[in-house]
Amino acid sequence: MSTRIDPWGHFAIEDYEKLLVEFGIRPINEVYGLISRLHPYFTRKVVFGHRDFDKWLEDLRAGRKVAVLTGFMPSGRPHLGTAMVYEELKFFQELGAHVKIAIADAEAYVVRREDRRTTILNGVDFIAHAIAWGLDPERTEFYFQTAMKEEYYRLIQMFSRKITMAEMEAIYGELSPGKITASLTQAADILHLQLDSYGGFKNILVPVGADQDPHLRLTRDIADRFEGELGLKRPASIYHKLIRGLDGNKMSKSRPEFAIHLDEDEETVRKKFVNALTGGRATAEEQRRLGGEPWKCTVYEVCLYHLIREDEKLKEVYDDCVSGRILCGECKRKALNLLLERLKNHREKYREVKESDIVEKIVNIPSF
């Protein structure tokens, strides 16, 4: 039976290797030689797969116009999973790529059924956090889906002509009118940068979580069908594993009790983190004898994604766990201290951004 991925769901993907086989996603290590330097997300297989990333990298190396496009659903508040995407975008910006970020306020309204005013205010907050995380506001484009030019909306209407309901259902399963509109809007998000009025970038890279691959498959099909009429080209994509929530499922803004949000105070983070799912054994004696299982541990995962940059230090944490040299309580305390320091620094930068008017200067914020 084929796997169906739900881009609107909240369950963790268990078998990433299956995605490589079933959906034709290529292993990321194929392109290592084309990247001038590797972010730890690549060597640690957080980014595990790609489509046509090699072609995008060749264009980057050749000095051709390339862009990176991804988006955020402005429901809830940014968390460590959101920060993972910020980190990827910052890396590509440092490599010299043009970065553009969509705030999916239309999708939040029609699919998540979010209040319009709240959605827009949340979107402004997502942008502020992105800048605080390190994205250069002078070299990053941000936009709301409901505050674009007519050429963007025309794409959504045109795309609906060359896709059938049967194809949509084969990709997404059961669909509502809102999800159909959101899917075609995402295709416009990904492809509009290829229009001359939006820069004429024919080489687009979309970094996304593996759960968003249905949108990429639809968009690549649409690009093929409009290549002659609009000159559209297939976008490239890279796929990262989804950081798990503290209960072991996908970290999601819709499940705030299991997520670490970027603006949370120290006491809230402590309370959440102390209850995080670990890879420990039933007793201390058993763990000293058999060792822990860091591959099951959400605390180790936070270290891998955000807290320990050096591979050698991360390996020490892993080895201490599997050998039984360290118990979960001590490991969790060390990780918590690193996390609190990381979030403290981010909150300080975030406050500076919020106290300035930088977001209002660089973004066309839609009316409520």
Side-chain angles (χ1 to χ4, degrees):
M1 180 180 293
S2 63
T3 303
R4 178 170 286 131
I5 306 171
D6 180 4
W8 296 288
H10 61 266
F11 293 103
I13 294 173
E14 299 297 334
D15 190 352
Y16 287 95
E17 292 299 320
K18 188 175 181 180
L19 301 184
L20 296 176
V21 175
E22 191 162 341
F23 295 114
I25 297 173
R26 303 295 304 170
I28 197 64
N29 59 356
E30 290 181 342
V31 304
Y32 283 0
L34 297 174
I35 307 176
S36 58
R37 63 183 179 87
L38 291 172
H39 191 280
Y41 285 173
F42 290 93
T43 55
R44 296 175 185 183
K45 296 296 178 68
V46 171
V47 177
F48 70 95
H50 77 99
R51 283 197 177 96
D52 293 336
F53 186 34
D54 52 337
K55 297 177 183 178
W56 186 90
L57 285 168
E58 288 168 359
D59 286 333
L60 175 68
R61 285 162 57 115
R64 302 186 187 101
K65 288 179 66 174
V66 297
V68 180
L69 186 288
T70 196
F72 297 101
M73 176 84 77
S75 57
R77 293 141 57 211
H79 52 58
L80 291 179
T82 317
M84 175 177 54
V85 184
Y86 292 157
E87 184 69 20
E88 287 179 290
L89 294 172
K90 186 172 71 169
F91 171 72
F92 286 116
Q93 191 169 73
E94 291 168 354
L95 291 182
H98 178 77
V99 172
K100 191 166 187 178
I101 298 172
I103 301 299
D105 59 318
E107 185 174 354
Y109 181 80
V110 301
V111 176
R112 302 288 188 191
R113 307 186 74 82
E114 299 280 349
D115 172 73
R116 176 93 177 115
R117 184 178 189 277
T118 302
T119 294
I120 293 171
L121 293 176
N122 283 347
V124 171
D125 214 38
F126 272 71
I127 295 168
H129 278 289
I131 295 170
W133 197 265
L135 281 163
D136 184 347
E138 300 298 323
R139 297 193 297 130
T140 309
E141 280 191 87
F142 300 92
Y143 72 95
F144 286 80
Q145 288 175 328
T146 61
M148 293 290 279
K149 300 175 184 176
E150 61 188 29
E151 295 92 339
Y152 168 88
Y153 301 112
R154 187 182 299 131
L155 286 179
I156 301 170
Q157 296 168 322
M158 293 179 71
F159 290 167
S160 67
R161 173 174 169 169
K162 296 187 181 182
I163 196 79
T164 69
M165 193 64 187
E167 289 172 315
M168 295 282 287
E169 289 174 342
I171 294 173
Y172 293 102
E174 186 177 350
L175 285 166
S176 65
K179 287 183 177 180
I180 294 170
T181 302
S183 300
L184 295 174
T185 301
Q186 286 222 16
D189 287 327
I190 295 168
L191 296 173
H192 79 277
L193 273 169
Q194 297 190 32
L195 301 178
D196 289 341
S197 56
Y198 284 104
F201 294 90
K202 296 298 183 182
N203 308 288
I204 309 297
L205 174 68
V206 187
V208 290
D211 60 332
Q212 300 300 303
D213 184 54
H215 295 313
L216 268 299
R217 281 183 271 138
L218 174 69
T219 301
R220 285 164 66 87
D221 286 344
I222 288 173
D224 287 346
R225 294 168 195 184
F226 280 91
E227 183 171 8
E229 187 172 353
L230 297 177
L232 299 181
K233 303 293 184 182
R234 286 184 169 193
S237 51
I238 59 172
Y239 300 92
H240 54 248
K241 296 176 182 177
L242 305 172
I243 189 169
R244 292 177 296 170
L246 301 179
D247 64 340
N249 274 311
K250 174 182 171 182
M251 188 173 288
S252 170
K253 296 183 290 292
S254 62
R255 301 182 324 113
E257 66 272 27
F258 300 115
I260 299 293
H261 296 93
L262 302 184
D263 60 355
E264 283 184 318
D265 61 86
E266 183 174 312
E267 186 57 30
T268 301
V269 174
R270 285 183 184 277
K271 288 179 179 178
K272 287 184 177 181
F273 209 69
V274 76
N275 293 312
L277 177 71
T278 70
R281 303 290 182 173
T283 66
E285 186 279 328
E286 187 178 344
Q287 184 154 335
R288 289 191 181 96
R289 178 166 51 87
L290 299 176
E293 299 174 294
W295 52 90
K296 295 181 180 180
C297 180
T298 62
V299 173
Y300 176 76
E301 195 163 274
V302 172
C303 291
L304 183 148
Y305 279 73
H306 287 299
L307 302 183
I308 301 179
R309 189 82 175 188
E310 301 82 5
D311 287 341
E312 297 78 9
K313 290 185 178 179
L314 185 68
K315 186 176 185 303
E316 286 179 17
V317 173
Y318 185 95
D319 290 345
D320 284 346
C321 178
V322 297
S323 67
R325 287 194 295 268
I326 191 170
L327 299 181
C328 293
E330 182 183 353
C331 184
K332 192 176 285 187
R333 283 192 296 274
K334 290 181 177 180
L336 177 60
N337 289 335
L338 293 174
L339 178 61
L340 291 175
E341 183 65 22
R342 182 71 181 89
L343 291 179
K344 178 185 176 184
N345 292 336
H346 175 77
R347 285 196 305 272
E348 290 173 356
K349 294 175 183 176
Y350 169 72
R351 279 195 294 270
E352 292 175 6
V353 174
K354 291 290 283 185
E355 289 170 359
S356 72
D357 59 355
I358 182 63
V359 176
E360 289 75 11
K361 283 183 176 179
I362 64 174
V363 184
N364 180 17
I365 301 173
S367 61
F368 303 147

